[in-house]
């Protein structure tokens, strides 16, 4: 029976990997299903008995039994006692499962290109870079190793068991504000000096989604958006996709130059100004109190919106963070963006928007269209973490760690670079703005660093006629890693700045 046509076909089509995370019986069952879908095994075909099957593939008989049980549970075969296992008619089946084998998949290829035209966008090109190096820098991301995995597994499990979740997933009537909306307002009022109600706040899955929704509502085609001279690339892409004309404004150590705006623009010419008031991205410079007041006055006089992105408010390492401009906005000119839970794993983080009620109502309508369900388990858990004070405790604990790392980065920069770089220790955030004096080729620096097992993505390199700087994120590195990274960076710097000795020509 081993040489029967069905057995020969199965051995030709099926292969599996015992080291794979997917169970062997699942791998085999998926490939048999694929063979049925492609017509290799027709309805009524008898499959070999489990003893023969186990000998064909050198597997345990229990595994062979599990394969047939899996196929039967999905309706692909019928097991008849004392007769055998037979293929059923696959036509009623709607679900196509992808087999893990490459053998069957190689028979037909899915098309690479559409048969219809569509508009591509250069703005949506990914800026992600990948490297196999052991060490890497980023623009200031938190250390996910500090996430309290054990505690979160308990909190998440408890949130999933809440009976109230069923009614939230299947709402039969319009309900009042959710517990999460109320707790989020309480958190913002306590931490940022707001006096907001749930009708002034909307939560989204990320700050990028928040900005995208706001841009679609506020910006029309060819309207002017002002941003800082070395502004956030992702934000700029979102504005451009909304049809905006982006104009850059000079920045100094006091933040965005508001006088420049007043001198070069008139009432009605500007649609909005995008600003990171607490710490400018990427320079980390804070907008001074005087400029904050002037910008708010100018917004009222010129009738433009201020989009205040407070992306790292939670990471105030010393002193007290300046309250958002939006907390003092009495004229409805400011749209405030932020993120909750930045010390957690990304799946537990959430973005939010604070704005006047009429804009939030429209934003909620937009969000209902693109993300109706949201993450109710996440909201349930975060509302309890806020109510019980866990958010504050975890944040304070992590801030002590990040402050120590920031101070150690500054020590290492002084130790390894002496006076060849300039930086100002930031009062908060997870990145330091480092300027090289004199200028060097940052691309060459990145190339040499890569040879030393250190990856510098282009997104943290800022170089033009006036600027030669790196936004060096340190949050994801412990102190041992910081020492290694800075020493490698200094070695790469030495390689590209040391004059090469030319050999004398031979005559």
């Amino acid at each position: 029976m081993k040489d029967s046509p069905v057995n020969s076909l199965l051995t030709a089509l099926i292969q599996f990997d015992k080291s794979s995370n997917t169970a062997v019986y699942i791998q085999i069952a998926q490939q048999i299903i694929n063979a049925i879908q492609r017509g290799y095994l027709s309805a009524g075909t008898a499959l070999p008995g489990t003893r023969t099957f186990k000998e064909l593939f050198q597997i345990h008989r229990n595994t062979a039994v599990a394969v047939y049980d899996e196929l039967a549970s999905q309706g692909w075969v019928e097991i008849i006692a004392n007769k055998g296992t037979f293929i059923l008619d696959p036509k009623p089946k709607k679900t196509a499962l992808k087999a893990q084998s490459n053998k069957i998949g190689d028979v037909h290829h899915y098309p690479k290109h559409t048969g219809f035209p569509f508009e591509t966008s250069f703005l949506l090109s990914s800026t992600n870079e990948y490297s196999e190096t052991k060490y890497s820098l980023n623009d200031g991301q938190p250390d996910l190793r500090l996430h309290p995995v054990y505690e979160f597994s308990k909190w998440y499990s408890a949130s999933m068991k809440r009976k109230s979740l069923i009614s939230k997933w299947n709402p039969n009537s319009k309900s009042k504000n959710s517990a999460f909306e109320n707790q989020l307002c309480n958190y913002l009022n306590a931490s940022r000096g707001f006096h907001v109600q749930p009708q002034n706040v909307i939560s989204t899955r990320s700050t990028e989604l928040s900005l995208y929704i706001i841009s679609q509502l506020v910006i029309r085609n060819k309207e002017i958006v002002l941003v800082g001279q070395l502004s956030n690339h992702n934000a700029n892409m979102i504005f451009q996709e909304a049809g905006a004309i982006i104009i850059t404004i000079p920045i100094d150590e006091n933040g965005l130059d508001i006088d420049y705006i007043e001198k070069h623009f008139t009432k009605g010419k500007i649609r909005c100004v995008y600003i990171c008031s607490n710490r400018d991205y990427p320079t980390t410079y804070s907008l001074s109190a005087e400029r904050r007041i002037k910008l708010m006055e100018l917004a009222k006089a010129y009738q433009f919106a201020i989009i205040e992105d407070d992306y790292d408010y939670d990471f105030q390492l010393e002193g007290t963070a300046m309250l958002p401009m939006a907390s003092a906005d009495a004229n409805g000119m400011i749209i405030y963006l932020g993120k909750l839970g930045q010390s957690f794993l990304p799946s537990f983080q959430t973005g939010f928007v604070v704005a006047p009620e009429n804009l939030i109502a429209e934003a909620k309508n937009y969000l209902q269209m693109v993300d109706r369900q949201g993450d109710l388990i996440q909201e349930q858990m975060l509302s309890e973490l806020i109510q019980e004070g866990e958010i504050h405790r975890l944040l304070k604990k992590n801030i002590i760690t990040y402050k120590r790392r920031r101070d150690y980065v500054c020590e290492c920069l002084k130790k390894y670079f002496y006076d060849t770089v300039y930086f100002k220790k930031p009062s908060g955030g997870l990145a330091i703005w480092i300027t090289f004096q004199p200028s060097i080729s940052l691309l060459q620096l990145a190339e040499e660093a890569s040879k030393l097992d250190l990856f510098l993505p282009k997104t943290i390199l800022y170089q033009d006629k006036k600027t030669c700087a790196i936004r060096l994120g340190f949050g994801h590195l412990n102190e041992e890693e910081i020492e290694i990274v800075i020493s490698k960076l200094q070695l790469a710097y030495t390689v590209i700045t040391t004059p090469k000795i030319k050999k004398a020509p031979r005559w």
Side-chain angles (χ1 to χ4, degrees):
M1 289 296 293
K2 284 187 179 181
D3 297 328
S4 72
V6 173
N7 294 354
S8 299
L9 178 64
L10 290 176
T11 54
L13 294 178
I14 293 174
Q15 64 180 13
F16 53 87
D17 180 7
K18 291 185 178 181
S19 64
S20 172
N21 292 331
T22 303
V24 169
Y25 81 93
I26 293 291
Q27 295 181 53
I28 296 174
Q30 287 178 338
Q31 292 171 69
I32 293 175
I33 291 170
N34 201 301
I36 296 172
Q37 290 174 321
R38 293 182 182 276
Y40 291 105
L41 296 171
S42 58
T45 300
L47 294 176
T50 53
R51 286 187 176 85
T52 302
F53 197 92
K54 73 142 186 168
E55 292 177 8
L56 285 174
F57 298 104
Q58 298 298 304
I59 57 177
H60 197 280
R61 191 182 173 207
N62 289 343
T63 303
V65 171
V67 170
Y68 286 178
D69 287 343
E70 178 68 19
L71 293 171
S73 68
Q74 296 187 38
W76 293 101
V77 302
E78 181 182 13
I79 301 175
I80 302 176
N82 300 321
K83 289 189 176 181
T85 302
F86 301 89
I87 304 295
L88 292 177
D89 187 355
K91 290 181 181 178
K93 291 293 175 184
K94 300 295 184 182
T95 303
L97 297 182
K98 182 180 179 182
Q100 296 207 354
S101 169
N102 290 327
K103 288 189 176 181
I104 296 175
D106 287 340
V107 178
H108 301 289
H109 295 285
Y110 199 76
K112 294 182 179 180
H113 302 285
T114 61
F116 51 86
F118 68 97
E119 185 177 354
T120 58
S121 174
F122 173 76
L123 302 175
L124 299 182
S125 299
S126 175
T127 58
N128 291 337
E129 298 177 74
Y130 303 96
S131 173
E132 298 298 325
T133 59
K134 183 176 180 180
Y135 301 98
S136 65
L137 291 175
N138 58 44
D139 66 346
Q141 302 302 315
D143 190 345
L144 299 183
R145 294 172 296 186
L146 299 180
H147 176 83
V149 176
Y150 177 72
E151 292 86 347
F152 261 67
S153 64
K154 293 191 300 181
W155 294 327
Y156 195 82
S157 176
S159 297
M160 288 187 67
K161 296 174 183 176
R162 298 281 187 262
K163 293 182 179 180
S164 59
L165 277 178
I166 302 299
S167 61
K168 291 178 181 178
W169 269 316
N170 301 292
N172 296 319
S173 60
K174 187 176 181 180
S175 59
K176 295 181 180 179
N177 302 317
S178 68
F180 176 66
E181 289 174 326
N182 288 321
Q183 290 300 332
L184 179 58
C185 287
N186 292 340
Y187 177 79
L188 295 175
N189 292 338
S191 63
R192 289 163 169 80
F194 280 114
H195 300 281
V196 295
Q197 300 296 323
Q199 57 266 29
N200 303 119
V201 181
I202 181 174
S203 64
T204 68
R205 295 192 184 251
S206 67
T207 51
E208 290 79 13
L209 180 56
S210 297
L211 184 58
Y212 178 80
I213 291 174
I214 292 302
S215 298
Q216 294 298 314
L217 295 176
V218 174
I219 301 170
R220 292 185 290 273
N221 193 41
K222 295 186 178 180
E223 289 187 321
I224 292 177
V225 175
L226 304 185
V227 301
Q229 198 161 22
L230 302 171
S231 55
N232 189 313
H233 176 74
N234 286 337
N236 289 348
M237 285 199 300
I238 291 172
F239 292 139
Q240 288 179 308
E241 193 63 22
I245 297 173
I246 296 179
I247 298 178
T248 58
I249 303 300
I251 284 183
D252 56 30
E253 293 196 0
N254 290 313
L256 199 69
D257 188 345
I258 310 304
D259 290 335
Y260 183 94
I261 299 175
E262 188 174 25
K263 290 177 183 178
H264 292 83
F265 298 93
T266 57
K267 182 177 180 180
K269 295 295 184 181
I270 307 169
R271 183 54 176 166
C272 63
V273 174
Y274 174 78
I275 188 168
C276 304
S277 60
N278 207 36
R279 271 174 291 276
D280 174 67
Y281 187 98
T283 66
T284 74
Y285 299 143
S286 297
L287 188 66
S288 66
E290 180 183 355
R291 291 188 179 181
R292 287 168 178 252
I293 295 171
K294 188 162 187 177
L295 179 60
M296 293 174 67
E297 292 174 345
L298 198 61
K300 182 181 178 182
Y302 282 18
Q303 292 294 292
F304 60 77
I306 300 172
I307 299 179
E308 184 180 13
D309 188 349
D310 215 351
Y311 65 95
D312 67 351
Y313 182 91
D314 284 343
F315 297 116
Q316 186 65 29
L317 305 183
E318 59 187 24
T320 304
M322 296 181 71
L323 293 178
M325 293 190 298
S327 65
D329 178 26
N331 300 303
M333 309 304 297
I334 302 178
I335 303 166
Y336 180 79
L337 310 180
K339 183 181 287 187
L340 177 65
Q342 287 176 279
S343 293
F344 308 150
L345 291 174
S347 58
F348 295 106
Q349 299 173 12
T350 183
F352 59 83
V353 182
V354 177
E357 184 176 343
N358 62 334
L359 181 62
I360 292 297
E362 199 65 27
K364 287 182 177 179
N365 291 337
Y366 201 105
L367 184 63
Q368 186 80 357
M369 178 176 64
V370 298
D371 187 18
R372 180 175 183 175
Q373 192 64 65
D375 191 334
L376 296 178
I377 300 176
Q378 177 204 61
E379 291 182 0
Q380 176 75 35
M381 189 182 71
L382 288 176
S383 63
E384 293 177 9
L385 292 180
I386 294 172
Q387 186 176 17
E388 296 172 9
E390 289 293 341
I391 289 275
H392 296 282
R393 285 193 284 273
L394 290 170
L395 193 57
K396 287 184 177 179
K397 181 179 178 180
N398 287 345
I399 281 177
I400 294 174
T401 300
Y402 289 131
K403 182 180 179 181
R404 186 170 62 246
R405 293 181 181 182
R406 179 207 60 181
D407 293 343
Y408 194 64
V409 169
C410 294
E411 289 178 18
C412 288
L413 287 172
K414 292 177 180 177
K415 173 182 175 182
Y416 287 98
F417 282 92
Y418 307 103
D419 58 352
T420 56
V421 298
Y422 168 79
F423 65 91
K424 183 179 180 181
K425 181 190 290 188
S427 61
L430 302 181
I432 297 178
W433 182 247
I434 301 173
T435 301
F436 288 89
Q437 300 173 337
S439 294
I440 59 171
S441 171
L442 295 182
L443 290 178
Q444 286 186 16
L445 180 69
E447 184 178 341
E448 291 299 328
S450 180
K451 297 175 183 177
L452 299 171
D453 218 15
L454 172 62
F455 176 51
L456 274 64
K458 293 183 179 67
T459 50
I460 70 168
L461 310 179
Y462 294 84
Q463 186 154 33
D464 56 30
K465 292 181 179 179
K466 297 181 180 180
T467 308
C468 179
I470 291 178
R471 180 178 168 88
L472 192 153
F474 59 82
H476 66 300
L477 303 170
N478 61 34
E479 292 179 42
E480 180 183 355
E481 292 165 340
I482 288 171
E483 177 97 29
I484 293 171
V485 165
I486 300 299
S487 64
K488 288 178 178 292
L489 191 64
Q490 190 273 335
L491 185 56
Y493 176 86
T494 301
V495 170
I496 68 171
T497 56
T498 301
K500 294 180 173 59
I501 300 174
K502 294 183 179 181
K503 294 182 179 179
R506 293 183 178 180
W507 300 100

